[in-house]
Amino acid sequence: MLKGKTALVTGASRGIGREIALTLAEHGANVAVFYAGNRDLAEEVCALAEQHGVSAKSFQCDVSSFEESKSAVEEALQCFGGIDILVNNAGITKDRLILQMTPEEFERVLDVNLKGAFYMTKHLFPHFMRKKSGKIVNVSSVSGLFGNIGQANYAASKAGLIALTKTTARELAGRGVCCNAVAPGFIDTDMTAAMPEAARKAALESVPLKRMGTPKEVAQVVAFLASDASSYITGEVIRIDGGLCM
Ligand code: NAP
């Protein structure tokens, strides 16, 4: 499905991003595995991806830094000779009620989740324009669609990411580039493992399918949006939430 393509996935060392990188590799794409600090885990993802007969290389990059992300993207472009698919997956939480949330906590989450995706898109924008093809998939969240108590920063960043998705889709449509978002609900990763047990239990009770989603269940939708199978879809947001927000 993606043979001969090259995908750049941010936050690919762990959780959903790792599974996205491996699933795209399984479908034949070479992968640029971007990570923030976990080099060993990123190397492990590269080794597993290569078992599918594709090329994979890790790149350290804090997406909230304009300069760092710019040079990492340039390095990846040089290494692979081009990028066909960008997946903006890197994300963090710093949950707290608005009453207690500090301006720094609010800003840091916006910097990584929203500015990071903007920087990555901006760095690859001229490349996609020249190529006149490409796929961008942004990993948002149901929090960005419906809000969530204790997640003012996170929900705002993920809602912003949806607006960024639609704007990117409009700006690049004339060049044959599609940009879409996925909005996962509760997915079993380090991020949700950090939730207090009571909050996890309450969250699961509100999911019609009565279980958490797996990173693979998100990755399969991302692979669809990264492939030609979704050629007439752009500016869309697909929920992957077991029915939570229907
Ligand atoms: P995770 O397990 O905590 O992994 C986060 C990933 O992001 C790691 O690869 C991490 O790299 C990377 N990262 C963190 N800060 C970064 C930075 N400043 N620059 C670059 N990379 C950075 O998270 P996850 O649960 O897989 O979530 C992945 C995405 O899905 C996020 O955008 C999240 O908001 C979204 N999402 C998750 C859920 C869920 O239930 N899990 C639900 C909805 C949406 P290192 O390993 O190097 O630190």
Side-chain angles (χ1 to χ4, degrees):
M1 188 157 89
L2 299 172
K3 209 167 167 40
K5 305 280 186 198
T6 297
L8 188 169
V9 184
T10 67
S13 46
R14 288 186 282 131
I16 295 172
R18 170 190 159 104
E19 204 54 50
I20 291 171
L22 294 177
T23 302
L24 298 183
E26 191 184 308
H27 286 291
N30 301 317
V31 280
V33 173
F34 273 46
Y35 68 99
N38 278 307
R39 185 168 190 274
D40 291 351
L41 292 180
E43 288 298 324
E44 193 182 296
V45 174
C46 289
L48 290 170
E50 280 169 349
Q51 289 179 8
H52 295 290
V54 302
S55 302
K57 191 176 179 341
S58 67
F59 300 85
Q60 196 280 324
C61 164
D62 177 352
V63 293
S64 71
S65 159
F66 182 82
E67 290 306 331
E68 207 174 291
S69 53
K70 188 167 187 279
S71 54
V73 166
E74 280 165 7
E75 215 186 308
L77 278 171
Q78 200 154 27
C79 174
F80 289 99
I83 304 283
D84 305 285
I85 300 155
L86 166 65
V87 184
N88 285 311
N89 163 80
I92 58 166
T93 51
K94 286 192 186 294
D95 295 356
R96 229 195 266 261
L97 295 174
I98 292 172
L99 207 55
Q100 283 109 31
M101 189 177 287
T102 64
E104 292 74 22
E105 286 166 338
F106 189 87
E107 274 166 32
R108 183 61 189 155
V109 171
L110 267 286
D111 283 352
V112 175
N113 298 7
L114 182 56
K115 273 196 205 169
F118 166 69
Y119 292 159
M120 294 298 296
T121 304
K122 184 172 170 60
H123 300 321
L124 280 168
F125 209 90
H127 179 70
F128 282 136
M129 281 182 81
R130 273 194 302 273
K131 263 169 51 72
K132 294 196 172 68
S133 69
K135 296 278 195 175
I136 302 173
V137 185
N138 293 325
V139 181
S140 180
S141 164
V142 291
S143 294
L145 289 168
F146 295 90
N148 198 18
I149 292 171
Q151 292 198 313
N153 48 3
Y154 184 78
S157 74
K158 295 298 187 179
L161 194 51
I162 290 170
L164 176 67
T165 301
K166 293 180 180 180
T167 302
T168 307
R170 287 184 187 279
E171 290 191 11
L172 282 172
R175 298 282 177 154
V177 179
C178 296
C179 179
N180 293 288
V182 292
F186 295 105
I187 309 298
D188 197 5
T189 68
D190 292 349
M191 188 177 271
T192 38
M195 284 167 74
E197 190 48 38
R200 257 170 83 93
K201 220 171 146 223
L204 278 185
E205 269 160 24
S206 57
V207 178
L209 286 182
K210 295 288 172 221
R211 65 172 177 87
M212 290 190 119
T214 63
K216 188 75 180 176
E217 287 172 314
V218 178
Q220 278 163 337
V221 180
V222 173
F224 164 69
L225 291 173
S227 77
D228 286 341
S230 60
S231 50
Y232 203 52
I233 301 178
T234 197
E236 185 56 276
V237 185
I238 302 182
R239 286 187 296 109
I240 308 161
D241 65 354
L244 176 68
C245 294
M246 66 180 156

